[in-house]
Amino acid sequence: MGIQSFNAKYSCLWCKCLSELRFETTKNWSMFDTTQSARTVEEISMFARAKKGEVVQYGYTSVPLFSVIPVHRVVPDTLHLFLRIADQLVNHLLVELRNRDNLANTCKSIDIEKCNSMKTFETFVNSLGIEWKFCVEKGSNIITSRDFQGPELWKIFNSIKLTEIIPGHPKLNHITKLWDDFIGLISKLKLQMEGNEVLTFQQEAVSWLDLFCKIYMTKNVTPYMYVLVKHIPEALKFHGN
């Protein structure tokens, strides 16, 4: 695409939304409408030819490899959308579990039997037939664990009872709804949606991100979350499922 990575100031492949504004669901950003900051191949190519030493504009770094393909023809990958957002939700949960067990981010060893919250989650994951555990990374002493694979994440999200994993959490109802609604949105992407169904999906996606921002900091909104809300509905209207 010829633009900088997802951790850049202008990280979206389809529009020029600033990274710090990804949480703003009331703002209009488009993958088609250039008056709403949609990117175009022509614009990318023009700014990418800036002289060495000049400020990079909108994250453009090079001419697109396939410059004959319009940007809006590049379809968001819904599989990676699910994986990356699910990863983030799980990571937030793991931080909560570690905090409940009064563990710092680093330690020399873990006695999982004394870490009730972490043990509960580990036991739940293992009960699904998933081999997984917390561990301490050698050298850095960081508490870590391996990433879950796609089918594992799907099992976890469809089986977890957060009331048993984080009982008493002040935002338990919100977090439960966040997880449930996320799976609902992803499940809808497997269906054929048209007209009002796409509009309903868009409204539900906006509500989902607004809920996320009630639970976590707005800076935690990732590029994939932003794409789910702003560009997936557009892609559904233009390309279909």
Side-chain angles (χ1 to χ4, degrees):
M1 290 289 289
I3 68 171
Q4 293 173 326
S5 64
F6 264 18
N7 61 358
K9 187 175 182 180
Y10 294 94
S11 59
C12 182
L13 296 178
W14 294 273
C15 76
K16 293 171 285 190
C17 173
L18 283 164
S19 58
E20 58 262 35
L21 296 179
R22 287 195 291 252
F23 73 96
E24 284 279 9
T25 55
T26 58
K27 293 186 179 296
N28 294 320
W29 305 95
S30 175
M31 66 192 304
F32 296 98
D33 189 347
T34 55
T35 66
Q36 295 181 358
S37 294
R39 296 185 188 272
T40 65
V41 169
E42 294 76 19
E43 183 182 74
I44 297 173
S45 300
M46 179 181 68
F47 282 113
R49 293 191 177 96
K51 295 179 181 178
K52 187 176 181 180
E54 292 183 355
V55 177
V56 175
Q57 296 289 333
Y58 304 119
Y60 299 138
T61 57
S62 61
V63 176
L65 184 60
F66 301 104
S67 58
V68 296
I69 302 176
V71 175
H72 65 264
R73 289 283 184 181
V74 179
V75 181
D77 181 348
T78 54
L79 171 60
H80 282 89
L81 184 100
F82 163 68
L83 294 176
R84 298 292 78 81
I85 297 177
D87 281 342
Q88 289 299 314
L89 297 181
V90 169
N91 287 340
H92 283 298
L93 177 62
L94 298 185
V95 170
E96 171 63 24
L97 298 177
R98 192 177 67 236
N99 290 339
R100 281 174 167 247
D101 289 331
N102 297 313
L103 287 177
N105 190 40
T106 60
C107 64
K108 292 184 178 180
S109 63
I110 299 176
D111 184 350
I112 196 66
E113 298 302 326
K114 294 181 179 179
C115 301
N116 293 332
S117 296
M118 295 166 66
K119 177 64 176 178
T120 298
F121 182 73
E122 191 175 286
T123 300
F124 158 69
V125 171
N126 294 158
S127 73
L128 298 177
I130 301 171
E131 188 174 339
W132 183 91
K133 64 179 181 179
F134 289 99
C135 59
V136 176
E137 192 175 83
K138 292 182 179 179
S140 67
N141 291 337
I142 294 175
I143 299 174
T144 186
S145 56
R146 72 167 178 83
D147 292 335
F148 291 109
Q149 298 177 355
E152 294 173 338
L153 285 169
W154 190 254
K155 274 187 179 181
I156 290 169
F157 272 79
N158 282 282
S159 305
I160 196 167
K161 295 180 180 178
L162 289 168
T163 52
E164 298 176 0
I165 305 298
I166 49 172
H169 192 289
K171 295 182 179 180
L172 176 59
N173 290 338
H174 282 349
I175 297 173
T176 299
K177 181 172 174 56
L178 189 75
W179 281 52
D180 290 345
D181 289 357
F182 172 62
I183 285 298
L185 289 169
I186 295 300
S187 297
K188 281 191 173 184
L189 290 178
K190 299 180 180 182
L191 306 175
Q192 189 66 36
M193 287 186 281
E194 298 178 354
N196 289 335
E197 292 173 321
V198 175
L199 178 59
T200 298
F201 177 90
Q202 183 175 19
Q203 293 168 342
E204 290 174 348
V206 167
S207 296
W208 182 86
L209 188 59
D210 286 339
L211 177 60
F212 179 90
C213 293
K214 289 179 181 178
I215 303 170
Y216 305 111
M217 299 178 69
T218 56
K219 69 178 183 180
N220 293 136
V221 175
T222 67
Y224 279 103
M225 294 178 188
Y226 171 79
V227 169
L228 174 65
V229 174
K230 289 297 182 181
H231 299 320
I232 290 295
E234 283 188 303
L236 288 172
K237 292 174 185 176
F238 187 82
H239 302 289
N241 289 52

